[in-house]
Amino acid sequence: MARRPDLKSGPARLLALARTTIPPMHPAGLPFVGASLAAAALGRRNRWLRGAALASAAANAAFFRHPPRVPPTRPNLVVAPADGLICLIEEAPPPAELGLPATPLPRISIFLSIFDAHVQRAPIGGEVVAVEHRPGLFGSAELEAASEDNERYSVLIRTADGVEVIAVQIAGLVARRIVCDAKAGDKLAIGQTYGLIRYGSRLDTYLPAGSNIVVTTGQRALAGETVLAELP
């Protein structure tokens, strides 16, 4: 949302500036913030309980933030599906539950700490071909084994040119709930929000062979904006 330079000083300008600075909250956070505010109201006569509940409400509002992002317009790009730290770049077979050939593909892993925005965005624009859930463990999402062992949702997206990219939501040590709103047949725009993971997790992106990866490990990514690779 653009700033409003046409507004003069006063409450209206302050409100407009606040709206462009403070990100909105994803609807999945409403029950958590609401429960914390209810606890604060019930314990309003107890200073410590009221303070703890209000702090919980603020923390949950911050965790479930849904900041606006502007994807690049240049064609044939793959953007980060999540905010976080790029922790691994390697080749690996795609998730077995998708039924694809076990040929290793370039894979970029992004680790999300509890301080990162946890909404997930489509890495490319196209049609959702398949969405598969696989139950699993809840080990630390920083570990390489998390891609194979942890609970996950795999989303296969195909562009109009027939190029396929896979985004995999992976639960972490604290995460116990993956929200995936994408369904087979959906049409997603690049950078469009399609899901969320609660409290620490990981996103793997599988690219077509021959993709030109333009990020490095240790780099921080912004979902929907940071370019991970150029398609072949």
Side-chain angles (χ1 to χ4, degrees), residues 9 22 54 77 80 93 97 109 118 157 160 183 190 193 197 202 212 231:
S9 298
I22 302 173
L54 290 175
L77 297 180
E97 59 270 21
S109 299
H118 268 58
I157 305 172
K183 302 181 295 297
I190 185 171
T193 300
I197 311 177
R202 174 168 164 172
N212 178 32
L231 294 171

mmCIF file of all heavy atoms in Angstrom, residues 9 22 54 77 80 93 97 109 118 157 160 183 190 193 197 202 212 231:
data_model
loop_
_atom_site.group_PDB
_atom_site.id
_atom_site.type_symbol
_atom_site.label_atom_id
_atom_site.label_comp_id
_atom_site.label_asym_id
_atom_site.label_seq_id
_atom_site.Cartn_x
_atom_site.Cartn_y
_atom_site.Cartn_z
ATOM 1 N N SER A 9 -0.427 17.133 7.734
ATOM 2 C CA SER A 9 -0.232 16.676 9.101
ATOM 3 C C SER A 9 -1.571 16.610 9.826
ATOM 4 O O SER A 9 -2.470 17.416 9.601
ATOM 5 C CB SER A 9 0.712 17.624 9.850
ATOM 6 O OG SER A 9 1.981 17.634 9.234
ATOM 7 N N ILE A 22 2.649 -0.715 9.836
ATOM 8 C CA ILE A 22 2.259 -1.866 10.643
ATOM 9 C C ILE A 22 1.523 -2.861 9.754
ATOM 10 O O ILE A 22 0.450 -2.557 9.238
ATOM 11 C CB ILE A 22 1.354 -1.434 11.811
ATOM 12 C CG1 ILE A 22 2.078 -0.400 12.673
ATOM 13 C CG2 ILE A 22 0.953 -2.645 12.652
ATOM 14 C CD1 ILE A 22 1.204 0.210 13.746
ATOM 15 N N LEU A 54 -1.882 -9.593 27.762
ATOM 16 C CA LEU A 54 -1.707 -8.550 26.753
ATOM 17 C C LEU A 54 -0.408 -8.754 25.979
ATOM 18 O O LEU A 54 -0.357 -8.528 24.762
ATOM 19 C CB LEU A 54 -1.737 -7.173 27.418
ATOM 20 C CG LEU A 54 -3.095 -6.715 27.960
ATOM 21 C CD1 LEU A 54 -2.955 -5.394 28.702
ATOM 22 C CD2 LEU A 54 -4.107 -6.584 26.829
ATOM 23 N N LEU A 77 10.909 -16.101 -13.404
ATOM 24 C CA LEU A 77 11.602 -16.023 -12.112
ATOM 25 C C LEU A 77 10.882 -16.869 -11.082
ATOM 26 O O LEU A 77 9.657 -17.035 -11.125
ATOM 27 C CB LEU A 77 11.662 -14.572 -11.619
ATOM 28 C CG LEU A 77 12.435 -13.574 -12.483
ATOM 29 C CD1 LEU A 77 12.388 -12.197 -11.827
ATOM 30 C CD2 LEU A 77 13.869 -14.015 -12.695
ATOM 31 N N ALA A 80 11.057 -16.456 -3.450
ATOM 32 C CA ALA A 80 11.028 -17.178 -2.183
ATOM 33 C C ALA A 80 9.586 -17.386 -1.731
ATOM 34 O O ALA A 80 8.795 -16.450 -1.746
ATOM 35 C CB ALA A 80 11.810 -16.408 -1.125
ATOM 36 N N PRO A 93 15.809 -35.730 -4.597
ATOM 37 C CA PRO A 93 14.590 -36.174 -5.283
ATOM 38 C C PRO A 93 13.377 -35.435 -4.734
ATOM 39 O O PRO A 93 13.340 -35.072 -3.557
ATOM 40 C CB PRO A 93 14.517 -37.678 -4.942
ATOM 41 C CG PRO A 93 15.896 -38.042 -4.501
ATOM 42 C CD PRO A 93 16.474 -36.818 -3.865
ATOM 43 N N GLU A 97 5.498 -38.526 -2.254
ATOM 44 C CA GLU A 97 4.040 -38.572 -2.310
ATOM 45 C C GLU A 97 3.459 -37.896 -3.553
ATOM 46 O O GLU A 97 2.287 -38.090 -3.885
ATOM 47 C CB GLU A 97 3.436 -37.934 -1.051
ATOM 48 C CG GLU A 97 3.803 -36.501 -0.814
ATOM 49 C CD GLU A 97 5.060 -36.327 0.031
ATOM 50 O OE1 GLU A 97 5.866 -37.286 0.108
ATOM 51 O OE2 GLU A 97 5.218 -35.240 0.596
ATOM 52 N N SER A 109 16.324 -24.581 0.575
ATOM 53 C CA SER A 109 15.617 -24.685 1.851
ATOM 54 C C SER A 109 15.715 -23.364 2.600
ATOM 55 O O SER A 109 16.802 -22.784 2.713
ATOM 56 C CB SER A 109 16.201 -25.809 2.705
ATOM 57 O OG SER A 109 16.081 -27.059 2.056
ATOM 58 N N HIS A 118 5.227 -15.839 8.983
ATOM 59 C CA HIS A 118 5.054 -17.258 8.673
ATOM 60 C C HIS A 118 4.030 -17.559 7.586
ATOM 61 O O HIS A 118 3.598 -18.704 7.445
ATOM 62 C CB HIS A 118 4.717 -18.026 9.946
ATOM 63 C CG HIS A 118 5.939 -18.562 10.625
ATOM 64 N ND1 HIS A 118 6.970 -17.742 11.039
ATOM 65 C CD2 HIS A 118 6.322 -19.819 10.938
ATOM 66 C CE1 HIS A 118 7.914 -18.486 11.592
ATOM 67 N NE2 HIS A 118 7.544 -19.744 11.541
ATOM 68 N N ILE A 157 3.173 -26.748 -8.604
ATOM 69 C CA ILE A 157 2.600 -25.674 -9.417
ATOM 70 C C ILE A 157 3.201 -25.741 -10.815
ATOM 71 O O ILE A 157 4.421 -25.885 -10.973
ATOM 72 C CB ILE A 157 2.887 -24.296 -8.790
ATOM 73 C CG1 ILE A 157 2.394 -24.253 -7.340
ATOM 74 C CG2 ILE A 157 2.221 -23.185 -9.598
ATOM 75 C CD1 ILE A 157 2.807 -22.990 -6.604
ATOM 76 N N ALA A 160 2.102 -21.687 -17.238
ATOM 77 C CA ALA A 160 1.419 -21.802 -18.526
ATOM 78 C C ALA A 160 2.330 -22.420 -19.582
ATOM 79 O O ALA A 160 1.852 -22.985 -20.575
ATOM 80 C CB ALA A 160 0.942 -20.427 -18.986
ATOM 81 N N LYS A 183 -5.486 -25.825 -3.367
ATOM 82 C CA LYS A 183 -6.130 -27.066 -3.793
ATOM 83 C C LYS A 183 -5.829 -27.294 -5.273
ATOM 84 O O LYS A 183 -5.624 -26.337 -6.027
ATOM 85 C CB LYS A 183 -7.644 -27.015 -3.580
ATOM 86 C CG LYS A 183 -8.068 -26.745 -2.139
ATOM 87 C CD LYS A 183 -9.575 -26.726 -1.987
ATOM 88 C CE LYS A 183 -10.218 -25.590 -2.739
ATOM 89 N NZ LYS A 183 -9.792 -24.257 -2.229
ATOM 90 N N ILE A 190 2.122 -15.320 -8.885
ATOM 91 C CA ILE A 190 3.412 -15.321 -8.207
ATOM 92 C C ILE A 190 3.344 -14.398 -6.980
ATOM 93 O O ILE A 190 2.842 -13.279 -7.051
ATOM 94 C CB ILE A 190 4.545 -14.883 -9.162
ATOM 95 C CG1 ILE A 190 5.916 -15.019 -8.470
ATOM 96 C CG2 ILE A 190 4.320 -13.478 -9.690
ATOM 97 C CD1 ILE A 190 7.096 -14.820 -9.421
ATOM 98 N N THR A 193 -0.394 -15.389 -1.396
ATOM 99 C CA THR A 193 -0.401 -16.164 -0.160
ATOM 100 C C THR A 193 -1.264 -17.407 -0.325
ATOM 101 O O THR A 193 -2.382 -17.335 -0.813
ATOM 102 C CB THR A 193 -0.934 -15.320 1.008
ATOM 103 O OG1 THR A 193 -0.091 -14.181 1.183
ATOM 104 C CG2 THR A 193 -0.970 -16.127 2.304
ATOM 105 N N ILE A 197 2.418 -21.612 8.503
ATOM 106 C CA ILE A 197 2.847 -22.617 9.479
ATOM 107 C C ILE A 197 3.006 -21.905 10.816
ATOM 108 O O ILE A 197 3.597 -20.827 10.882
ATOM 109 C CB ILE A 197 4.170 -23.293 9.089
ATOM 110 C CG1 ILE A 197 4.131 -23.780 7.632
ATOM 111 C CG2 ILE A 197 4.451 -24.483 10.004
ATOM 112 C CD1 ILE A 197 5.423 -24.397 7.147
ATOM 113 N N ARG A 202 9.979 -24.661 8.063
ATOM 114 C CA ARG A 202 10.910 -24.654 6.934
ATOM 115 C C ARG A 202 10.134 -24.770 5.620
ATOM 116 O O ARG A 202 9.076 -25.386 5.568
ATOM 117 C CB ARG A 202 11.863 -25.849 7.100
ATOM 118 C CG ARG A 202 12.807 -26.085 5.940
ATOM 119 C CD ARG A 202 13.842 -27.071 6.383
ATOM 120 N NE ARG A 202 14.578 -27.675 5.311
ATOM 121 C CZ ARG A 202 15.642 -28.461 5.487
ATOM 122 N NH1 ARG A 202 16.060 -28.713 6.720
ATOM 123 N NH2 ARG A 202 16.263 -28.978 4.474
ATOM 124 N N ASN A 212 18.845 -21.426 -12.997
ATOM 125 C CA ASN A 212 19.989 -20.611 -12.571
ATOM 126 C C ASN A 212 19.701 -20.046 -11.181
ATOM 127 O O ASN A 212 18.937 -19.083 -11.035
ATOM 128 C CB ASN A 212 20.229 -19.478 -13.576
ATOM 129 C CG ASN A 212 21.365 -18.568 -13.152
ATOM 130 O OD1 ASN A 212 22.321 -19.009 -12.511
ATOM 131 N ND2 ASN A 212 21.270 -17.293 -13.487
ATOM 132 N N LEU A 231 14.275 -19.529 -14.281
ATOM 133 C CA LEU A 231 13.907 -20.796 -14.896
ATOM 134 C C LEU A 231 14.711 -21.036 -16.186
ATOM 135 O O LEU A 231 15.073 -20.078 -16.871
ATOM 136 C CB LEU A 231 12.414 -20.819 -15.201
ATOM 137 C CG LEU A 231 11.489 -20.804 -13.973
ATOM 138 C CD1 LEU A 231 10.043 -20.617 -14.399
ATOM 139 C CD2 LEU A 231 11.656 -22.067 -13.158
#
